[in-house]
Amino acid sequence: LMFRGVYALCTHPGHHAAYQSFGGYCYVNNAALAARLLQKKLATNNGSTDGSTNSEDEKKCRVAIIDVDYHCGNGTASIFYRDASILMVSIHCHPDHEYPFHSGFADQTGADEGVGATMHIPLMPGAAWSTTYEAALQLALDKALNEFEAQGLILSLGLDTYNQDPCSTRRAGFALEGRDYHELGKCVAVAVTKAMQERQSRGSEDGSDNDNDNHNTNQSSIPVIWTQEGGYFMEKVPQAVGDLFDGFLSC
């Protein structure tokens, strides 16, 4: 069983950029763009022989974004706040304690058709992998892959969760350490592989061979795209990225 993984080392983070605003040095929302392009690609794979798609076809393709930056992905959340076809889950420092302050509360869950397609998981300062972060990530993965049944997964990868990042030493901060990033990558890989196996098993049992408006049981893999967001302790960022993908590729 194979799944595809892509890492985009973006020259600027993007998850604070919205349709009509920018912030936190984010000008283009890379994760949001990737989500729309991935929807189009999935629709093409499922659609007509000439590769043409329309917006209705693309909206049938479910893509989930999980933001693991220390700060809330408020721009991404705002872009898809009324869109039921894109699930946005953000794990971040509670906005009572950290930027952007006005966004990232647990009761902000979407609007109109998108109600329930936004999930904020705010954690208190000092969150560590073994105490709260791993459980939050598992909750996000379960929401994205099992409840929402995403056909594609995008992770906004912030490494400012590191316990020596300036976000930690100068402000509130989280307390993730080197090995934790290996475990983060491994958790994602395990969850994606398990979800794909369960879908294919379900498809074999019921004899389905296409998705249409139901679950895509004949999909050969769940593509995973990582877009780089924050991370400011530059002595450790390359090692953290390496540790993460060592874990991601270990399964």
Side-chain angles (χ1 to χ4, degrees), residues 111-146:
D112 301 332
E113 294 181 0
V115 170
T118 297
M119 182 180 189
H120 290 307
I121 308 177
L123 304 179
M124 298 305 291
W129 177 258
S130 60
T131 57
T132 55
Y133 202 94
E134 181 182 11
L137 179 63
Q138 294 291 1
L139 179 64
L141 289 166
D142 183 64
K143 174 77 172 180
L145 295 169
N146 300 323

Side-chain angles (χ1 to χ4, degrees), residues 86 101 127 167 248:
I86 303 285
F101 303 110
C167 290
F248 181 68

Side-chain angles (χ1 to χ4, degrees), residues 69-93:
D69 191 274
Y70 169 70
H71 304 93
C72 173
N74 61 305
T76 314
S78 71
I79 290 171
F80 299 118
Y81 205 65
R82 290 173 169 79
D83 190 333
S85 71
I86 303 285
L87 174 72
M88 168 58 181
V89 184
S90 181
I91 306 170
H92 51 264
C93 187

Side-chain angles (χ1 to χ4, degrees), residues 11 19 27 127 225:
T11 56
Y19 274 127
Y27 306 102
I225 300 173

Side-chain angles (χ1 to χ4, degrees), residues 25-134:
Y25 306 102
C26 300
Y27 306 102
V28 176
N29 196 308
N30 307 299
L33 286 171
R36 284 296 189 226
L37 289 171
L38 185 52
Q39 279 188 314
K40 186 175 183 66
K41 178 64 175 176
L42 290 167
T44 300
N45 290 346
N46 296 335
S48 62
T49 56
D50 63 2
S52 62
T53 64
N54 57 51
S55 60
E56 184 176 340
D57 293 332
E58 292 166 16
K59 287 295 184 72
K60 291 179 182 178
C61 297
R62 300 174 301 280
V63 172
I65 302 170
I66 299 178
D67 191 312
V68 295
D69 191 274
Y70 169 70
H71 304 93
C72 173
N74 61 305
T76 314
S78 71
I79 290 171
F80 299 118
Y81 205 65
R82 290 173 169 79
D83 190 333
S85 71
I86 303 285
L87 174 72
M88 168 58 181
V89 184
S90 181
I91 306 170
H92 51 264
C93 187
H94 199 291
D96 280 349
H97 299 272
E98 189 55 86
Y99 179 89
F101 303 110
H102 58 78
S103 182
F105 295 94
D107 61 356
Q108 296 172 324
T109 60
D112 301 332
E113 294 181 0
V115 170
T118 297
M119 182 180 189
H120 290 307
I121 308 177
L123 304 179
M124 298 305 291
W129 177 258
S130 60
T131 57
T132 55
Y133 202 94
E134 181 182 11

Side-chain angles (χ1 to χ4, degrees), residues 5-28:
V6 175
Y7 171 54
L9 181 56
C10 307
T11 56
H12 281 79
H15 68 153
H16 297 307
Y19 274 127
Q20 297 178 327
S21 65
F22 61 87
Y25 306 102
C26 300
Y27 306 102
V28 176

